[in-house]
Amino acid sequence: MGDSIKAQTSPSKDSCDLEKDLSSAAPTIKIEDSFPEGGKKAWLTLFGVWLVQFSTFGYTNAYGVYNDYYVREFMVDKYSSSQMSWVGSVQLMLVLSVGLATGRLFDIGYFYHLMIFGGLLFIFSLFMLSLAQPGQYYQVFLAQGVGAGLAIGIMYIPGIAVVSHYFRRRRAFAMGIAASGSGLGGAVQPIMLNKLFHGSLGFNNGVRASAAFNFGLLAVAVLLMRTRLPPSPKKEGSVLIHMRQFFREPAYTSTVLGTFFILAGLYFPTFFLQLNAVKRGIDEGLAFYVITVMNGATVLGRILGTAFIPQLGVFNVVIPCLVICAVLIFCLLVVKTVAATFTFAVLYGLFSGAYVGIFAPMVGSLAKDDSEIGARMGICFSVTGLCPVKVLFFSNRAFSLRIRRPYRSVSPPFSVTSLLTTSSGTPIAGALLTSSYIWWRPILFSGLLVSCGAFLLTIARSLVAAQKHTQRV
């Protein structure tokens, strides 16, 4: 009887051992195989994100067209290039700064809410911009600087982060493809805007036409994008907990500070290259295509840059690209001919595009877990946007006092904007330029900012390499 019972229970014991072995192996299989690395839903989602980048950040990259039109026609003899650059800079600041909220909201499952609300706000802001009257700075500032900036910021991090739901091994490459949308958008939209503003439609109807065009693209994008992973649990005070945790890591802190300096100087050519070309005597019909060529080159840079990451490591790719960008900004001192201008546009677009395409994977590579990616990106963007408050306020006042006598004050009509901008380098660069167009001042300033950012990322790279015991980081 006892032998019979033992014989009956023995298989049960073996079965339990087998189930135990399978259950212990299950987590490993799940972690390795849970990312499809492709498939219909993944590529449709990636294409949807690409469309969002084309419509939103691509529009931001086309601000040079707006800045040139504002300075020479829409706001002529009323506001300087420095004042008008505040519009694009506040827009860029809000794109970055709202990431503190949107990154966490994405993590806890509000992806569709963010994308739909952000898209509607973006289109509404463009239609409000189309109602702006010549010489009315506050109308342009509120619609394009504040409204459009908030809208793009609401969509930016969720759009990029959703790519990580489908790709792990090929994540950097997929994010590079998504980011290339803003490069192509920055190539196509300047041509469209130039033709609209200087054609039969004019500025107001031209902005409305561009709003309708981008509304169609965003509607298609929302229908294509799908999340895959379940939301992370809600926790009280999780943002503050994450901030304390992340900023205890020297590599992350150095990366955030480096990003602040880089973004403060990197967008100077984007905002001022077309104006520089016109003021150097290049034909306006030809100068209109400078930003288009530069943004078109960023498409290639964003894709090629990510292709080298598996072999070299993300920091080993991004740092040389930034050093070359800094050198190219300094080279603007001698860029005066048509050939030199377009050569600069191609090279700068290529290497700055590589940085923009690699930026998100670079921050994501510092995450200890995939659930941290949205939070790390959001905090990095937000701190980059909000940390220079006091420095900018006093810097802007100093520049205003310095040039008040010979020129109109460069401070915007709203003093509060001096407390809001992240891309402080662009308005300060405009103040350094002055209405006499002294180009060497902003060129030197922007080049030094990018150089400082590259140095800080070099420090971060050394810390990560020491931590991971490898030079391929």
Side-chain angles (χ1 to χ4, degrees):
M1 188 73 161
D3 293 341
S4 177
I5 294 173
K6 185 176 181 180
Q8 292 175 0
T9 57
S10 179
S12 176
K13 180 179 179 182
D14 293 340
S15 177
C16 291
D17 291 342
L18 179 60
E19 290 177 2
K20 183 178 180 181
D21 292 339
L22 289 175
S23 63
S24 64
T28 302
I29 295 172
K30 184 177 180 181
I31 290 172
E32 295 298 327
D33 298 340
S34 61
F35 290 86
E37 302 292 343
K40 181 180 178 181
K41 186 182 291 187
W43 293 117
L44 286 177
T45 297
L46 182 59
F47 180 59
V49 175
W50 188 92
L51 290 175
V52 172
Q53 292 291 303
F54 181 97
S55 298
T56 57
F57 224 94
Y59 211 85
T60 299
N61 288 340
Y63 182 74
V65 176
Y66 276 99
N67 193 58
D68 177 68
Y69 186 83
Y70 290 152
V71 171
R72 295 193 299 117
E73 295 188 40
F74 205 66
M75 301 285 182
V76 65
D77 297 329
K78 287 194 173 184
Y79 301 102
S80 68
S81 61
S82 174
Q83 289 170 302
M84 298 317 305
S85 68
W86 279 93
V87 176
S89 294
V90 170
Q91 182 186 85
L92 185 59
M93 177 275 295
L94 291 172
V95 169
L96 304 180
S97 297
V98 297
L100 185 64
T102 59
R104 181 56 187 159
L105 288 172
F106 167 79
D107 287 339
I108 62 177
Y110 287 92
F111 173 75
Y112 297 108
H113 304 77
L114 293 168
M115 300 307 295
I116 293 173
F117 176 73
L120 292 175
L121 179 60
F122 179 64
I123 301 304
F124 173 77
S125 298
L126 291 186
F127 275 107
M128 290 299 100
L129 178 62
S130 72
L131 301 177
Q133 298 301 310
Q136 299 300 310
Y137 185 96
Y138 79 95
Q139 296 176 358
V140 173
F141 180 84
L142 291 176
Q144 190 170 15
V146 178
L150 281 172
I152 297 171
I154 289 170
M155 292 184 284
Y156 181 63
I157 287 181
I160 289 293
V162 75
V163 176
S164 66
H165 281 203
Y166 295 92
F167 298 91
R168 185 185 185 113
R169 179 173 51 84
R170 304 163 69 182
R171 181 174 296 165
F173 181 69
M175 286 185 172
I177 292 176
S180 70
S182 64
L184 188 60
V188 173
Q189 305 233 36
I191 296 177
M192 178 180 69
L193 291 173
N194 271 316
K195 295 297 184 183
L196 291 172
F197 293 173
H198 301 279
S200 58
L201 289 180
F203 176 80
N204 299 97
N205 287 327
V207 174
R208 294 187 189 104
S210 70
F213 171 73
N214 286 291
F215 173 75
L217 295 180
L218 291 174
V220 173
V222 170
L223 294 175
L224 292 177
M225 293 182 293
R226 291 291 181 269
T227 58
R228 190 182 69 88
L229 300 178
S232 61
K234 299 179 182 180
K235 297 179 181 179
E236 293 295 331
S238 58
V239 174
L240 294 177
I241 292 173
H242 280 145
M243 290 186 71
R244 286 196 297 266
Q245 175 188 343
F246 297 159
F247 282 109
R248 287 173 182 168
E249 303 172 13
Y252 184 80
T253 302
S254 184
T255 299
V256 172
L257 291 176
T259 302
F260 161 56
F261 284 108
I262 291 163
L263 295 181
L266 192 71
Y267 283 89
F268 169 72
T270 303
F271 283 17
F272 288 98
L273 187 60
Q274 179 171 319
L275 180 62
N276 177 68
V278 172
K279 291 300 179 181
R280 299 286 192 183
I282 296 175
D283 180 73
E284 289 187 12
L286 193 59
F288 285 158
Y289 291 96
V290 170
I291 295 176
T292 296
V293 170
M294 182 171 66
N295 287 327
T298 66
V299 177
L300 185 61
R302 292 170 201 229
I303 297 175
L304 287 180
T306 57
F308 290 101
I309 291 178
Q311 292 77 26
L312 301 176
V314 62
F315 282 95
N316 291 336
V317 175
V318 76
I319 292 171
C321 290
L322 288 171
V323 171
I324 293 172
C325 285
V327 172
L328 287 171
I329 292 175
F330 290 128
C331 288
L332 273 175
L333 292 168
V334 295
V335 172
K336 298 179 180 179
T337 65
V338 173
T341 299
F342 279 91
T343 300
F344 171 87
V346 171
L347 293 176
Y348 193 80
L350 187 66
F351 289 102
S352 65
Y355 167 75
V356 173
I358 297 172
F359 171 68
M362 178 183 68
V363 178
S365 70
L366 300 174
K368 302 295 189 297
D369 186 81
D370 288 336
S371 63
E372 294 180 356
I373 291 177
R376 283 187 182 264
M377 290 176 59
I379 290 171
C380 179
F381 274 48
S382 298
V383 173
T384 297
L386 298 176
C387 70
V389 169
K390 291 185 179 179
V391 174
L392 176 59
F393 176 74
F394 289 112
S395 296
N396 191 51
R397 287 199 59 180
F399 289 126
S400 300
L401 292 171
R402 182 175 180 178
I403 66 171
R404 181 171 295 162
R405 289 184 179 277
Y407 308 108
R408 187 182 179 92
S409 172
V410 299
S411 296
F414 308 105
S415 60
V416 70
T417 59
S418 64
L419 299 175
L420 290 175
T421 185
T422 181
S423 293
S424 54
T426 306
I428 293 176
L432 290 169
L433 181 62
T434 76
S435 58
S436 296
Y437 301 103
I438 306 174
W439 288 101
W440 70 265
R441 293 177 180 174
I443 289 171
L444 183 63
F445 177 74
S446 300
L448 288 174
L449 286 173
V450 176
S451 299
C452 289
F455 176 74
L456 287 167
L457 289 190
T458 303
I459 295 175
R461 180 223 171 266
S462 300
L463 294 169
V464 173
Q467 182 182 5
K468 294 184 176 180
H469 305 290
T470 178
Q471 295 300 313
R472 195 174 70 178
V473 295

